[in-house]
Structure formats: structure tokens, C-alpha cells
Amino acid sequence: MKEFRNFKLRRQIAFLIGIAIVLIVMISFLSYINLYYTMKKKAKDYTTSSINQLEDNLRIIKKDIKNVGNLIAYNRVVQEFLTYDEPLYKVRLNNFIENMFNYIASLNDSIIDIAIIKKKGSLSSFFLHIDYHDYMKLEEQYKITSKDFTKPMFVTDMENGRDHLFYIMPIFNIYDSSYVENKIGTIIIYFNINDIRSLIKKLAISDKTFFGITDQNDRIITSNLEEEEGNLFEKYGYYIGSEDRMPIIQKKYISDLNWNVISIIPTKEVTKELSFFRLLILIIGLIMVVLLLAIGFVINRNITSPISTMVDSINKIGDEHLKQYITTPIAEEVKGIKHQIDLDLEGEIGFIAKNINRMLYKIETITQENIKSQKNLYEMKLHKKQAQISALQSQINPHFLYNTLECMRSIGYVYQVEEIIDISTAMAEIFRYSIKGANFVNISDEIEIIEEYLKIMNIRFRGKFVIDLEIEEELLDRKMPKMILQPIVENAIYHGLESKEGRGKLTIEGISTQENIIFKIKDNGIGIAADELKVLKDYLKGEFEDDIHTSQKRSIGMLNINRKIKLFFGKEYGLEVDSKKDVGTEVIIRLPS
């Protein structure tokens, strides 16, 4: 919670709006899922109820057929028809049975035919819908005339597209117990299933769902769809085999009929009714998201952005004041620059902005007064420091040194020693140049001092090295800090050329570019070791704040010059050094044009 409070206001609002959008999406999704599973459960419950209702109706139909079978099988006339062989009597019984069967069929529209098979296998079909082929097929498959066929059964006839059922029932002699073989025949009741189909079509949810009856081999006996022939999984496998959206499948086995009642409801049939609610949830979710984004936009435009603008303005005001007063020369009069928060708003935010502007005006006025006071205090300290320096300098009288050097030169004249004359004259020029007041001198003056210094070195080392001085003419009138080149030249001689065997060479080059003045002091002396060179480069780049720890005075002098240039002109100027052991060293001094 503490980390959240440390966020910027805009991020906090964006985070809360994002969470609200995620919650809206999640709630919409969960609502749809809950509604989906509720509809799916209701569809399943309805299908279960329909299957149970169909099962009850099938049991009623089964019971009616069984009652018809019992009524026929145990009728005395039928019993006599199957047991007596006297022809005239059988004709009379046949007429009676035919009238009885007509009456039974008139009471039950589903009965198509009733056939009686005698013990010896002769077939009597009273409506001529059961032919000898049907009888032989049943006999071959179920042995209906054998002694072992003793229990009634329902048989489905799926041949030639017929959707009819056979109820086959053995007939036993119940009037003559002395009869040797108690089974005297078989009755076949042939009936259709139009009533069942009509009931199934009423119970089916839609014409896109499968609701029907199959036999033990999964062959479709009847269903709500038009084509009922064929295997269920061959015809409607695309319902069951759908992996992305599994359908609702329910199956119930009816043992008495050896049938399966099956319902297959595709998922899209369930979700079809949800399309309106899905669209409604989507629209409501989108409206809520748009409203949240609109609220976020209004808050951002009227509250967050103005506050951010005020914060940025206050930060800029502080930075600009600091930059202005640090970079302004002390000798220049400080001019106050008025800053304000530029917000064209009314209401609470506008009121705050206006009052902050008033406060900033007062702060700026006070700041200018403080800066003026600090400037005066700084000037006082500067005068004090200069007085201290003057006091220290006054302790060594320059005239004493001048007189001494003049004395040395006079002695040189008396004794005709040219070296003493030249050295004392050059040293006097260098000393006078180093103590004169100006911090910036013409480049021509700096070059003259270098030439004086090189005269002394040439006398000392008696022509041990060659000096090549190449300075562009246009540089001579430019300004540069005093005593910059002489220490570098001194380093090149004492640390590079003095210890070199044989004759050395010193090159001093000055060139001008569009942006920089560049001096190159190059020698072919003993060079600098790689590890010492790396440390020196790091210090020159300003990567270390402490003074360099080295016994070489060369590094200390170069660091002081580098710092001096950077203090005058900035970090982009200063010294660069490159060297290779036993090859030589090159120092580049970069100054602004």
C-alpha cells in the first residue's frame, strides 16, 4: 500500500481504472459462464424429464401390446384353432379369429398385422402384411417355433426402411393339461411406431437436436429427424465427436424392449438462446469500460494533468533559478526572471495555480534579494582572499630576483660567458611573464616564453634534441590561459627526452578548427608504461576524484593543467595523452576557439 501511494497520481488512477476494467471483464465473463451452465443444466434436466416421459409411454405401449398378445394367445378359439385338425371346423374357427383380429386392430391403430404360426410351422397371416419371408427371417434368427423359445420378446424390423416392430409370443395349451407338448404355436403381432415418433418429435428441443430410440446395435429405430435408418454414430457422429464444444448426451437403457433412448443436444443449440444475453453482457461491459475511460480522461485532463503541470513548472522554476544564479558572473547584476504556472483553468485547480503563482512571485523577489546579499558577501570574501594572496606575495620581493638575475647577467658580460648571459636573460623573461596579473594572454606571448625556456634547455643539454615549432599565424592573436604549454614541454624534455639514448626530437604544433584550438606536444622519448598510462588517462577523464597516486611529477603537472582548463572552459576541454613505451608520447591540449 505504501508503494502504491508513492506512485504518481496519474499512475494511481490508471492502475485503478485498469483494475476496474479487469473486474468488469471478469464479472461479465463469469456472468456469461454462469448463465451458460444454468441453461445447459436446464436443457439437461428437460431432456432427462423427456426421456423419463418417453420411457413411461413406451412401457404403456409395451403393456398394451402384451395385453393384446395375452388376449389372443389364451383365447379358447385360438387354442382350438391350434390344437384341432378337422378342416371344416378350422374354417369356421378361422372366420371367427379373423373377425376377432379385425376388432382388436380397430381398437389399436398401431397394429398392422397379426399372424399365428402352428406347431408344425404353417403361417396364418390375417392381414397379409407378414409374409413367409418375414417368418423365415425371424425363425432363422430367433428359432421362434422351437421348444426353447418360451419367452415373449420385441424384435425390431429395420429391413427395407421399415420402422415396424414385431411382438413374438409363444402360445401354450392351457385347456388340456394332458397334451404331450404344452407349446402349441406362436403369435406375431406386427405394429408400427408412428405414435412413438410423434411423441418423440413433441419432446425434442429443436430440429437441430437428436432425440430418438436405438436398438442394441445402435441402429436408429426412430427419432425426431427425418432419416431414421443407419447406425447412430455413423449418421450423427459429428455431434458426439465435436471436441471443441462437447454436446449434451444422455442415454437410458430400457431392458424390457432392449432399446436405448438417446438425446444429443449440440452446444450451439444451448448457446443459441444465450446470444441475446451474450450481446447484452458485451454491450454493458463495453459501456462500463468506455465510461471508466471517459472518467479517467476527464480526471486526467482536469485534475491529473494540471497537477503534473504545476509540479513540472515548480521543478523547472527551481532548476532555472539555480542554473541562472550559478552561471551568472558575480560581477554582473542579477536580473530577476518572473516564472509562473501557465494553466487556463477555473475552479479549484485554477484557484490553486493562481495562488501558487502569487507565492512564486514572492519567492522570486525574496530569492533575488538573497542572491544580491550573497553576491556582496562573496565579493567581500574575494577581496579578503586577494588581500591574503597579496600579503603572501609581498613576502618575496620580485625586485630581489630581478636584481639577482641582472647580477648574473652582468657577471656573464664581464667574463664573456654567453651561456650565463642567455640563461639569466631567459629566466628573467619567464619569471616576469609568470607573475604578471592577467590570467589570459595572447598565444604569441605563450609561444615566446616557450622559446625562452627552450633556449635554456638547449644550453643545458647542448643540442641533444631537435625542436620543431609549428604554430599557425592566425592563432597568435588569440587568447589562452597563461602558463599552459610550458609545463607540458618541460615534462616532454625531463621525462621523455632526457633519458633517451641518442638524439631526440620535440614537436610543438598549434592548429585551429572551426570549434577548437588544438596544441600537440610530441616527443620520441622513452614513453610511459601501459599501466601508468591507463591510470593517467582515467584521472584526466575525471573518473577519480582523489589526487593521482604516482611518483611521477609529470602526472601531477598534467592533472593541474587539465583541471585549470576544465574550470575555465568546461568538461569537454582539457588534455589528452597517448604514449607507447620506447616510442614516444603525445599530449593534446584542446581549448575553445
Side-chain angles (χ1 to χ4, degrees):
M1 187 66 183
K2 185 177 179 180
E3 294 180 356
F4 176 75
R5 293 178 62 186
N6 292 333
F7 289 165
K8 290 185 177 181
L9 181 60
R10 182 175 297 174
R11 291 186 62 186
Q12 293 183 16
I13 294 174
F15 180 75
L16 293 175
I17 291 177
I19 289 179
I21 291 174
V22 171
L23 289 176
I24 289 173
V25 173
M26 290 180 61
I27 292 172
S28 300
F29 176 75
L30 293 176
S31 300
Y32 173 75
I33 292 298
N34 181 63
L35 189 59
Y36 167 76
Y37 282 106
T38 301
M39 295 294 291
K40 196 169 183 179
K41 183 178 182 302
K42 287 185 178 181
K44 190 173 182 179
D45 293 342
Y46 174 79
T47 305
T48 302
S49 175
S50 300
I51 290 176
N52 293 333
Q53 183 178 349
L54 180 60
E55 181 186 12
D56 293 339
N57 283 276
L58 290 176
R59 293 189 184 281
I60 292 172
I61 293 173
K62 169 195 156 186
K63 185 177 180 181
D64 291 342
I65 298 298
K66 280 188 174 183
N67 289 336
V68 171
N70 290 330
L71 177 64
I72 294 173
Y74 300 112
N75 183 275
R76 187 176 185 83
V77 176
V78 175
Q79 292 274 321
E80 290 179 356
F81 179 78
L82 294 173
T83 54
Y84 289 98
D85 293 329
E86 201 278 321
L88 292 176
Y89 185 66
K90 286 186 70 174
V91 170
R92 188 174 58 182
L93 291 177
N94 188 75
N95 291 332
F96 178 81
I97 291 173
E98 185 176 353
N99 291 331
M100 181 180 67
F101 285 0
N102 284 325
Y103 176 73
I104 292 173
S106 65
L107 296 177
N108 195 329
D109 294 335
S110 62
I111 295 177
I112 298 174
D113 198 357
I114 301 173
I116 295 177
I117 304 172
K118 294 183 180 181
K119 181 173 61 174
K120 294 180 180 181
S122 60
L123 174 67
S124 297
S125 177
F126 290 90
F127 301 121
L128 302 178
H129 290 288
I130 300 177
D131 55 22
Y132 188 74
H133 174 74
D134 294 327
Y135 160 62
M136 290 304 297
K137 182 180 177 182
L138 294 172
E139 175 63 26
E140 180 181 355
Q141 190 171 359
Y142 301 107
K143 310 297 182 185
I144 61 177
T145 60
S146 67
K147 294 179 181 180
D148 297 330
F149 185 76
T150 59
K151 293 182 179 180
M153 62 183 299
F154 285 88
V155 177
T156 305
D157 179 21
M158 303 300 297
E159 186 179 358
N160 298 323
R162 296 192 297 180
D163 52 3
H164 301 152
L165 299 176
F166 293 113
Y167 177 67
I168 307 171
M169 177 181 177
I171 302 175
F172 298 95
N173 192 339
I174 62 173
Y175 296 104
D176 187 2
S177 59
S178 63
Y179 201 81
V180 178
E181 294 184 6
N182 199 24
K183 182 178 177 182
I184 59 175
T186 305
I187 184 173
I188 301 175
I189 301 176
Y190 187 18
F191 61 97
N192 62 29
I193 53 174
N194 288 332
D195 294 340
I196 299 175
R197 180 187 288 116
S198 299
L199 181 61
I200 286 175
K201 288 186 175 181
K202 292 179 182 178
L203 295 175
I205 293 178
S206 70
D207 56 358
K208 300 296 182 181
T209 63
F210 177 85
F211 192 85
I213 301 172
T214 63
D215 61 9
Q216 65 272 21
N217 296 319
D218 287 321
R219 294 182 304 173
I220 302 171
I221 296 174
T222 185
S223 72
N224 63 308
L225 304 178
E226 292 296 330
E227 299 178 0
E228 291 89 3
E229 289 186 42
N231 184 281
L232 172 67
F233 292 94
E234 292 176 356
K235 291 180 65 63
Y236 304 106
Y238 62 90
Y239 285 132
I240 302 173
S242 177
E243 296 180 357
D244 54 343
R245 291 186 176 183
M246 290 298 293
I248 302 172
I249 303 175
Q250 289 182 283
K251 183 177 181 181
K252 189 168 187 179
Y253 177 68
I254 303 175
S255 58
D256 295 342
L257 298 173
N258 202 19
W259 288 352
N260 293 309
V261 180
I262 297 178
S263 170
I264 303 175
I265 305 176
T267 304
K268 63 181 180 180
E269 288 299 305
V270 177
T271 58
K272 180 175 67 175
E273 298 183 6
L274 291 175
S275 58
F276 171 75
F277 296 99
R278 182 171 59 231
L279 180 61
L280 182 62
I281 291 173
L282 179 62
I283 291 174
I284 293 175
L286 287 175
I287 291 174
M288 294 297 293
V289 170
V290 171
L291 284 176
L292 281 172
L293 293 175
I295 292 172
F297 175 77
V298 171
I299 293 175
N300 179 65
R301 182 175 180 180
N302 296 328
I303 298 177
T304 310
S305 292
I307 291 176
S308 299
T309 302
M310 285 192 289
V311 172
D312 293 339
S313 299
I314 292 172
N315 287 332
K316 288 179 181 179
I317 289 168
D319 293 341
E320 289 179 4
H321 270 72
L322 183 62
K323 180 179 178 181
Q324 174 197 0
Y325 296 131
I326 286 178
T327 58
T328 300
I330 295 298
E332 181 182 350
E333 183 181 355
V334 178
K335 298 180 180 180
I337 301 176
K338 295 183 179 179
H339 298 275
Q340 64 177 1
I341 299 173
D342 188 13
L343 284 177
D344 187 14
L345 288 176
E346 299 295 334
E348 293 83 355
I349 302 296
F351 177 79
I352 294 173
K354 291 177 182 177
N355 282 275
I356 290 177
N357 286 334
R358 294 191 185 99
M359 179 183 66
L360 291 175
Y361 177 77
K362 293 180 180 179
I363 291 174
E364 189 166 11
T365 303
I366 295 172
T367 302
Q368 290 182 6
E369 294 175 356
N370 289 337
I371 292 297
K372 289 180 180 179
S373 300
Q374 290 177 7
K375 186 185 89 167
N376 295 332
L377 181 62
Y378 177 79
E379 289 176 348
M380 291 174 63
K381 289 183 178 180
L382 184 60
H383 290 313
K384 182 179 179 181
K385 196 71 174 178
Q386 289 175 346
Q388 292 175 349
I389 293 173
S390 298
L392 290 173
Q393 289 178 343
S394 64
Q395 295 177 6
I396 302 175
N397 192 343
H399 293 288
F400 171 76
L401 292 176
Y402 284 132
N403 292 333
T404 301
L405 291 173
E406 288 295 326
C407 180
M408 291 173 60
R409 187 168 61 173
S410 298
I411 294 173
Y413 278 117
V414 171
Y415 290 97
Q416 297 296 311
V417 182
E418 295 294 331
E419 289 85 351
I420 295 176
I421 296 172
D422 293 339
I423 290 174
S424 60
T425 301
M427 287 185 62
E429 291 295 328
I430 293 172
F431 181 75
R432 184 181 54 169
Y433 175 78
S434 65
I435 65 173
K436 69 179 181 180
N439 289 325
F440 284 83
V441 296
N442 290 334
I443 293 178
S444 59
D445 295 336
E446 187 80 357
I447 298 301
E448 288 178 3
I449 293 303
I450 293 297
E451 291 174 341
E452 296 294 332
Y453 175 75
L454 291 175
K455 287 179 183 178
I456 299 173
M457 294 298 102
N458 194 37
I459 293 171
R460 178 185 174 185
F461 292 104
R462 297 186 180 275
K464 185 178 180 179
F465 47 84
V466 177
I467 300 170
D468 188 5
L469 187 61
E470 300 177 359
I471 306 296
E472 293 180 356
E473 288 291 335
E474 62 181 36
L475 292 179
L476 297 178
D477 294 330
R478 303 267 186 96
K479 295 289 185 179
M480 68 175 292
K482 183 172 64 177
M483 294 300 290
I484 293 295
L485 298 180
Q486 188 273 334
I488 305 299
V489 173
E490 183 178 353
N491 276 344
I493 294 173
Y494 280 99
H495 300 288
L497 298 174
E498 182 179 1
S499 301
K500 177 181 174 63
E501 294 182 1
R503 198 173 188 187
K505 182 178 181 180
L506 176 66
T507 302
I508 303 171
E509 182 182 1
I511 60 176
S512 174
T513 65
Q514 187 175 359
E515 296 180 353
N516 299 317
I517 295 173
I518 298 175
F519 291 99
K520 296 181 180 180
I521 296 93
K522 184 176 181 180
D523 67 80
N524 61 347
I526 62 174
I528 306 174
D531 53 350
E532 183 181 355
L533 178 64
K534 182 179 183 304
V535 174
L536 179 58
K537 285 184 175 182
D538 290 340
Y539 274 94
L540 289 175
K541 290 178 182 177
E543 296 184 5
F544 303 101
E545 295 181 357
D546 298 334
D547 290 336
I548 187 170
H549 299 290
T550 177
S551 61
Q552 297 292 336
K553 293 182 179 179
R554 159 202 337 238
S555 301
I556 298 174
M558 292 176 67
L559 287 177
N560 289 335
I561 293 172
N562 187 58
R563 288 173 180 169
K564 185 176 182 180
I565 294 173
K566 290 183 181 296
L567 286 173
F568 276 127
F569 304 115
K571 293 184 178 180
E572 61 269 27
Y573 302 100
L575 269 63
E576 299 175 13
V577 61
D578 192 18
S579 181
K580 192 172 182 180
K581 192 67 176 176
D582 298 326
V583 175
T585 303
E586 181 180 24
V587 178
I588 298 175
I589 303 173
R590 194 179 303 275
L591 304 173
S593 270

